[in-house]
Amino acid sequence: MYYLSTGLTKPLACDRRETPLRAGQYVGDRTVLTEHLEAVEPAAGQVQIEVAYTGLCGTDLHIVHGNMDGRVERPLVFGHEMSGTVAAIGPDVTTVSPGDRVTVMPLDWDGTCPACVAGHRHLCHHLNFIGIDSPGSLQELWTVPEHVVVPLSDHASLRHAALVEPVAVAVHDVRRSELTSGDKVVVLGGGPIGMLIATVARHAGAEVYVSEVDPTRLQQAAALGFRTLDPSQDDVQAAVTEWTAGAGADVVFEVSGAAAAVEAATGLAKVRGTIVVVAIHPTPRPVDLQRVFWRELRILGARVYERQDFDEAIRLLADGVVPADELITDVVPLEATASAFTRLEAGTAMKMLVAVQEGAAS
Amino acid sequence: MYYLSTGLTKPLACDRRETPLRAGQYVGDRTVLTEHLEAVEPAAGQVQIEVAYTGLCGTDLHIVHGNMDGRVERPLVFGHEMSGTVAAIGPDVTTVSPGDRVTVMPLDWDGTCPACVAGHRHLCHHLNFIGIDSPGSLQELWTVPEHVVVPLSDHASLRHAALVEPVAVAVHDVRRSELTSGDKVVVLGGGPIGMLIATVARHAGAEVYVSEVDPTRLQQAAALGFRTLDPSQDDVQAAVTEWTAGAGADVVFEVSGAAAAVEAATGLAKVRGTIVVVAIHPTPRPVDLQRVFWRELRILGARVYERQDFDEAIRLLADGVVPADELITDVVPLEATASAFTRLEAGTAMKMLVAVQEGAAS
């Protein structure tokens, strides 16, 4: 049995009531197990959440594949895309009450590093990304600091709200790009984040091409109303040049993580155009700096989100801007988490949700 | 004998008066020859300039080395850093008169391409860079369109004014970086442009480190009052981290053209810091996009200049902000142009000027 805490590694104090709960854990060796743990009663300034849904994302897949073994402790209760209901609050908690529907913005910053002092707390030098660097939401009861809890309306769909976190990523990426209505945008990579970026960009008034090699994802992008290109078959640069009357795209989002997409991106952007680096690139990638120079391009990194992005994501989901039902491929019980990863690996699923509570309707 | 024109390749019309002049030409095969050509009398909207000084820059060296044979016609009268006096004006010229001291902003745009229409004429898709794509200033009499002529004051030093163009490059690079007073800046590469960027950045209130491997240039940077680092000996990242109390540099200028500098740049910039790509990188360079993402860096290409940069460069030279005398290593006669390149190749010279007129005082 593992002791469970948030941002802490020491055992629970003896005077805390311990309730058994089910949790999904990465235990190393590409293995996810459902274990019974002790719940953490909320201390002062903490909120205990009954988790309804946890979405599985590419980072979780990286964790389970062992790619992040140098960063994560094992066993790790992962999960950082979630929705739920407040189960209990600790002393001094004032912003939520038991029964409130909530999600979590899983960033815990130190507030004192140079990035925090400069106002970029989401890029804290010592960021605790809850669900990666400390236990996450793939458990029935999850105790977190009050400041990461984001209230939802009483009518919010908890299924849809499990998408708030990835939608906030897309909102942040689009905001960072400074695109404006009428801009012509290319999204390289049509996975969940690429599709959400395309959605948010279109809502901001942009015209959007999604470039993707997977036929299923291409079909889904087309079904959602986006122009599509398949770089394994189409001459993407020629298509974008024609589409933009020779100018090039205003904004290119690199969401694929592929080296070839990086090389393509600089060729697609217009003079003074913007390339937003959203994907993880584990090794340095060849970049056509001659083109960056020649066209005075702007390459921007974009990582996670700020609170305003979370709030906007909640609005976009509530307003039906995000096609949540189309993006959620399936909802599975906690015990089926490992098989859900298999479907993500196979590329046959867009967004998989885990219904965390025992006997929860999928 | 070659017919000489500006932006034209056809022979002169028979009714134009032809005056012999001396010109330095790249004729291919790493060879620069002094030839006698016919002067071009200014047609309507053209200005004929008696060239006083032409500076030799890295691009000229690339031309002479044959690296740009795919772009330049041969023979080519090169040269685009210059100063002189108006010799004659064609009909309809209103902004300058014979005897005026002038320099030239050597950019001739079409005004109709997408970049021009968007207001970025200096990045015109079909830019005629005078001195590269059409005959330049390494000739005694140079005829150019009126709109590229930039007036100087009657008291301007023509020697110093030959630096206006490279200073305008530095002004543009610094303006593009959006650095503000108090910023901590690293300039990677201590050649003429690097030194000018350091100078302009310091004048804007920044504290500046110059990183350079050449001992002579390092000494010169130190003599000009800059902090210096030698990446072949110093741990540049550790030094910058300590200097910035762990934050990283606000702005990094990549002026070296070296792959290693590109790899270093992302490690030096602070969260949300800026990297300006000034140098030419002939092949794609490995870039640590993980760091770009992680720190939300901004990489900006910066190329040539706009008119406001030229005007600011003239002011900075007139005000003595730019240490022109220290940066001008030597002034040589036109016939010594080839040997001046040898000194540039050897790295023993910073800025070499050619005194273009016969018998001009060096």
Side-chain angles (χ1 to χ4, degrees):
Chain A
M1 177 173 296
Y2 302 107
Y3 288 100
L4 180 70
S5 61
T6 296
L8 300 171
T9 54
K10 59 187 176 185
L12 299 173
C14 299
D15 57 353
R16 303 273 284 281
R17 182 169 62 85
E18 299 187 352
T19 310
L21 58 79
R22 291 155 55 251
Q25 289 188 314
Y26 166 60
V27 296
D29 200 23
R30 298 176 80 97
T31 304
V32 177
L33 298 178
T34 304
E35 304 277 6
H36 285 84
L37 306 180
E38 303 300 324
V40 181
E41 293 304 306
Q46 290 186 329
V47 175
Q48 188 188 56
I49 302 170
E50 186 183 282
V51 177
Y53 298 99
T54 289
L56 303 178
C57 93
T59 303
D60 299 319
L61 200 56
H62 276 298
I63 291 173
V64 171
H65 282 174
N67 298 337
M68 296 170 72
D69 279 0
R71 175 173 169 189
V72 304
E73 291 190 7
R74 279 144 285 163
L76 174 74
V77 178
F78 56 91
H80 58 272
E81 304 180 0
M82 60 76 64
S83 60
T85 306
V86 174
I89 59 175
D92 307 328
V93 169
T94 59
T95 55
V96 290
S97 306
D100 286 356
R101 295 182 176 205
V102 295
T103 184
V104 162
M105 182 167 125
L107 307 185
D108 194 13
W109 42 71
D110 68 10
T112 59
C113 80
C116 287
V117 170
H120 310 303
R121 296 182 301 186
H122 68 298
L123 306 171
C124 172
H125 287 199
H126 313 108
L127 189 69
N128 165 24
F129 193 112
I130 305 175
I132 299 174
D133 304 310
S134 59
S137 65
L138 200 63
Q139 52 183 320
E140 291 179 307
L141 288 171
W142 187 34
T143 298
V144 295
E146 179 183 12
H147 77 84
V148 304
V149 178
V150 180
L152 301 169
S153 82
D154 293 343
H155 312 294
S157 156
L158 288 178
R159 270 175 74 129
H160 291 186
L163 298 187
V164 167
E165 199 266 3
V167 173
V169 168
V171 169
H172 184 71
D173 296 338
V174 170
R175 184 163 65 87
R176 186 117 172 88
S177 78
E178 297 176 303
L179 68 78
T180 55
S181 185
D183 275 1
K184 289 191 159 73
V185 167
V186 180
V187 178
L188 301 175
I193 295 294
M195 222 68 98
L196 290 172
I197 288 172
T199 299
V200 175
R202 179 170 61 186
H203 185 64
E207 300 179 57
V208 182
Y209 255 113
V210 174
S211 174
E212 168 64 47
V213 291
D214 180 80
T216 308
R217 291 184 164 180
L218 270 177
Q219 274 187 341
Q220 191 153 16
L224 292 173
F226 300 112
R227 292 171 176 81
T228 59
L229 288 164
D230 177 353
S232 72
Q233 298 191 12
D234 303 319
D235 183 336
V236 174
Q237 183 162 6
V240 170
T241 299
E242 185 182 349
W243 180 47
T244 59
D250 296 284
V251 178
V252 179
F253 292 93
E254 204 311 273
V255 200
S256 73
V262 173
E263 296 203 64
T266 48
L268 299 176
K270 71 172 185 180
V271 159
R272 289 276 178 115
T274 297
I275 297 166
V276 184
V277 179
V278 175
I280 304 278
H281 290 273
T283 58
R285 299 295 194 200
V287 175
D288 185 350
L289 294 180
Q290 168 67 9
R291 183 80 166 191
V292 171
F293 161 82
W294 195 254
R295 294 208 143 193
E296 289 198 345
L297 301 182
R298 179 172 72 147
I299 301 176
L300 299 174
R303 177 177 161 218
V304 293
Y305 28 66
E306 298 169 82
R307 177 59 186 259
Q308 62 178 295
D309 303 315
F310 244 69
D311 294 340
E312 175 69 4
I314 291 170
R315 279 193 293 273
L316 292 178
L317 280 157
D319 293 349
V321 170
V322 176
D325 291 325
E326 288 81 351
L327 294 172
I328 298 170
T329 305
D330 207 352
V331 183
V332 301
L334 182 60
E335 287 72 13
T337 302
S339 65
F341 278 121
T342 306
R343 291 168 69 183
L344 287 173
E345 284 166 8
T348 56
M350 184 63 71
K351 177 56 69 184
M352 297 294 294
L353 298 191
V354 177
V356 176
Q357 298 299 315
E358 183 112 46
S362 68
Chain B
M1 178 175 298
Y2 301 107
Y3 289 100
L4 181 68
S5 62
T6 297
L8 300 171
T9 54
K10 60 188 178 185
L12 300 173
C14 298
D15 59 353
R16 304 271 285 278
R17 182 167 61 84
E18 299 185 353
T19 311
L21 59 80
R22 290 156 56 253
Q25 288 189 314
Y26 166 61
V27 297
D29 200 23
R30 298 176 78 97
T31 304
V32 177
L33 298 178
T34 303
E35 304 276 5
H36 285 84
L37 306 180
E38 303 300 324
V40 180
E41 293 304 307
Q46 291 186 330
V47 176
Q48 188 187 58
I49 302 169
E50 185 182 283
V51 177
Y53 298 98
T54 289
L56 303 178
C57 93
T59 302
D60 299 319
L61 200 57
H62 277 299
I63 290 173
V64 170
H65 282 174
N67 298 336
M68 296 171 72
D69 280 1
R71 175 173 169 188
V72 303
E73 292 191 5
R74 279 145 283 163
L76 173 74
V77 178
F78 57 91
H80 59 270
E81 304 180 0
M82 59 76 64
S83 61
T85 306
V86 175
I89 58 174
D92 307 328
V93 169
T94 59
T95 55
V96 289
S97 305
D100 286 356
R101 295 183 177 204
V102 295
T103 185
V104 161
M105 183 169 123
L107 307 185
D108 193 14
W109 42 71
D110 67 13
T112 60
C113 80
C116 287
V117 169
H120 309 303
R121 296 182 300 187
H122 68 298
L123 305 172
C124 172
H125 287 198
H126 313 110
L127 189 70
N128 165 24
F129 193 113
I130 306 174
I132 299 174
D133 304 309
S134 59
S137 65
L138 201 64
Q139 52 183 318
E140 291 178 306
L141 288 170
W142 188 35
T143 297
V144 294
E146 179 184 12
H147 76 85
V148 303
V149 179
V150 180
L152 301 169
S153 81
D154 293 343
H155 312 294
S157 157
L158 289 177
R159 269 175 77 130
H160 291 186
L163 298 187
V164 167
E165 198 266 1
V167 173
V169 168
V171 169
H172 183 70
D173 296 337
V174 170
R175 184 163 66 86
R176 185 120 172 86
S177 78
E178 298 177 301
L179 68 78
T180 55
S181 185
D183 275 1
K184 289 191 159 72
V185 167
V186 180
V187 178
L188 301 175
I193 295 294
M195 223 68 102
L196 290 172
I197 288 172
T199 299
V200 175
R202 178 170 62 186
H203 184 65
E207 299 179 59
V208 182
Y209 256 113
V210 174
S211 174
E212 166 65 47
V213 291
D214 181 80
T216 307
R217 290 184 164 180
L218 270 178
Q219 275 189 339
Q220 192 154 14
L224 292 172
F226 299 112
R227 291 170 177 83
T228 59
L229 287 164
D230 177 353
S232 71
Q233 298 190 10
D234 303 318
D235 183 335
V236 175
Q237 183 163 5
V240 170
T241 299
E242 185 183 348
W243 181 46
T244 58
D250 296 284
V251 179
V252 179
F253 292 93
E254 202 314 90
V255 200
S256 73
V262 172
E263 297 203 62
T266 48
L268 298 177
K270 71 173 185 180
V271 159
R272 288 276 178 117
T274 296
I275 297 166
V276 185
V277 178
V278 175
I280 305 279
H281 291 274
T283 58
R285 299 296 194 199
V287 175
D288 185 351
L289 295 181
Q290 168 66 9
R291 182 80 167 191
V292 171
F293 160 83
W294 195 254
R295 295 209 141 194
E296 288 198 342
L297 301 182
R298 178 172 74 148
I299 301 176
L300 299 174
R303 176 176 161 217
V304 294
Y305 28 67
E306 298 171 82
R307 177 59 187 260
Q308 62 178 295
D309 303 314
F310 245 71
D311 294 340
E312 175 69 4
I314 291 170
R315 280 192 294 274
L316 292 178
L317 279 157
D319 293 348
V321 171
V322 176
D325 290 326
E326 288 82 349
L327 293 173
I328 297 170
T329 305
D330 206 353
V331 184
V332 301
L334 182 60
E335 287 72 13
T337 301
S339 64
F341 278 119
T342 306
R343 291 168 68 183
L344 288 173
E345 284 166 9
T348 57
M350 185 62 71
K351 178 55 71 183
M352 298 293 294
L353 299 190
V354 177
V356 175
Q357 298 299 314
E358 183 111 47
S362 69

